[in-house]
Amino acid sequence: MSTSQLPDPKDRPARLTVGVVGAGRVGPALAASLQLAGHRPVAVSGVSDASRRRAAQMLPDVPLVPPAEVLRHADLVLLTVPDDTLPGLVEGLVETGAVRPGQLLVHTSGRYGAKVLDPALRAGALPLALHPAMTFTGTPVDVQRLAGCSFGVTAPDELRMAAEALVIEMGGEPEWIAEERRPLYHAALALGANHLVTLVAQSMELLREAGVEAPDRMLGPLLGAALDNALRSGDAALTGPVARGDAGTVAAHVTELRKHAPQTVAGYLAMARATADRALAHGLLKPELAEDLLGVLANGTTGTHGTEGDAG
């Protein structure tokens, strides 16, 4: 659904008081975004000094209170805690009687759908799973980044319009995810985003080791183009020695990595094997070149000499 396709006014949520349980990087940004849409943050809970500072920066003048107090004051409660903490938090809030009938209870976990909120549903709450597919810094820039951000939305059918309306009010794009598909959806995002950070950080470390003074400046255009090509063309965007079948070049890479950064070898080999499989399946890697390449990847040490080629 595009942000230009606003719901009918009768389907838009009324102006709500908003509470945040868990002042990590996500909760204060979402609450600040809802505030821009006309809702009113009234309470936030945070334990660590960092979370308290973050809440003070993102939600000034909003009182810091215990979680049960957040629920007492808010019509819409954002449960923005780590995945493993969420089930126990929900059960605890229900057991203490903090959950009120008719209260909108929203969690932002990618892993879970709406069923993790079933204890609250039985207490009369309205459960929504709204996961922003975005990486957060814990600073005001996050509110701007929500513009056009996709949200993985899971909720009971009768709450679908309300869930989508809240996402749109935060500037996001709702994408409906079936309950049973949430773990797969979250794995896909982690594979693409979390592992990308690790790969880029390793690449920058290796470039510094090779004598590059500004690895970020070198990588920026290359990675930007690679990402754009991948999003546009998928596997057809594959380039580099693995896709070409340059076994000698790959063997040289492994030798250098073992010498200078042995902690990166396992990841390099795993990604190279995955790349080779995809290149073979899509006809980019010639079968007659694949044997030597796969031999190098199998033992991680030797191979035939390849040729120089493009950077990707």
Side-chain angles (χ1 to χ4, degrees):
M1 178 184 294
S2 169
T3 52
S4 64
Q5 297 175 295
L6 292 174
D8 188 280
K10 70 178 186 303
D11 295 318
R12 293 167 64 88
R15 301 307 90 185
L16 302 168
T17 54
V18 179
V20 180
V21 176
R25 296 182 180 184
V26 178
L30 297 188
S33 182
L34 288 168
Q35 186 173 34
L36 290 176
H39 302 288
R40 185 165 61 92
V42 293
V44 58
S45 71
V47 177
S48 69
D49 290 339
S51 66
R52 290 171 176 268
R53 287 193 299 269
R54 191 178 298 115
Q57 179 188 26
M58 302 282 287
L59 301 170
D61 302 323
V62 176
L64 278 159
V65 299
E69 280 291 295
V70 173
L71 270 72
R72 190 166 74 85
H73 292 288
D75 304 315
L76 166 64
V77 180
L78 301 172
L79 303 179
T80 52
V81 298
D83 290 358
D84 288 349
T85 304
L86 181 60
L89 171 66
V90 174
E91 291 176 359
L93 290 172
V94 171
E95 289 173 0
T96 59
V99 177
R100 303 196 316 270
Q103 192 169 44
L104 282 164
L105 215 56
V106 177
H107 80 71
T108 59
S109 166
R111 170 185 171 188
Y112 291 108
K115 286 191 178 299
V116 72
L117 299 174
D118 274 356
L121 174 64
R122 290 190 289 271
L126 307 177
L128 307 175
L130 307 180
H131 174 252
M134 177 56 63
T135 181
F136 288 79
T137 64
T139 65
V141 71
D142 294 333
V143 179
Q144 302 169 23
R145 287 180 173 176
L146 287 173
C149 167
S150 291
F151 278 65
V153 177
T154 307
D157 288 343
E158 60 271 21
L159 296 177
R160 181 166 182 158
M161 289 304 298
E164 292 179 346
L166 283 171
V167 169
I168 291 170
E169 286 193 326
M170 288 185 281
E173 300 262 359
E175 185 72 38
W176 197 257
I177 308 295
E179 180 79 31
E180 67 276 10
R181 296 288 185 172
R182 291 288 290 208
L184 178 62
Y185 151 80
H186 196 224
L189 295 179
L191 185 66
N194 302 154
H195 297 173
L196 175 64
V197 174
T198 300
L199 291 172
V200 173
Q202 288 183 341
S203 182
M204 290 204 300
E205 289 171 356
L206 293 170
L207 286 171
R208 290 192 190 97
E209 179 73 14
V212 175
E213 292 185 1
D216 55 340
R217 190 166 65 237
M218 177 176 281
L219 284 174
L222 174 64
L223 298 185
L227 177 60
D228 184 63
N229 290 343
L231 292 174
R232 291 173 183 271
S233 305
D235 288 297
L238 283 171
T239 64
V242 173
R244 289 192 303 269
D246 288 346
T249 299
V250 173
H253 288 177
V254 175
T255 297
E256 287 301 297
L257 292 177
R258 288 196 186 283
K259 185 186 305 182
H260 296 285
Q263 73 279 7
T264 68
V265 172
Y268 178 95
L269 291 173
M271 290 304 299
R273 290 188 193 103
T275 300
D277 288 343
R278 299 190 75 89
L280 267 172
H282 290 82
L284 302 173
L285 174 58
K286 296 177 180 178
E288 60 269 24
L289 298 177
E291 186 175 352
D292 281 347
L293 174 66
L294 294 175
V296 169
L297 298 178
N299 58 44
T301 54
T302 60
T304 58
H305 291 289
T307 58
E308 297 296 327
D310 55 297

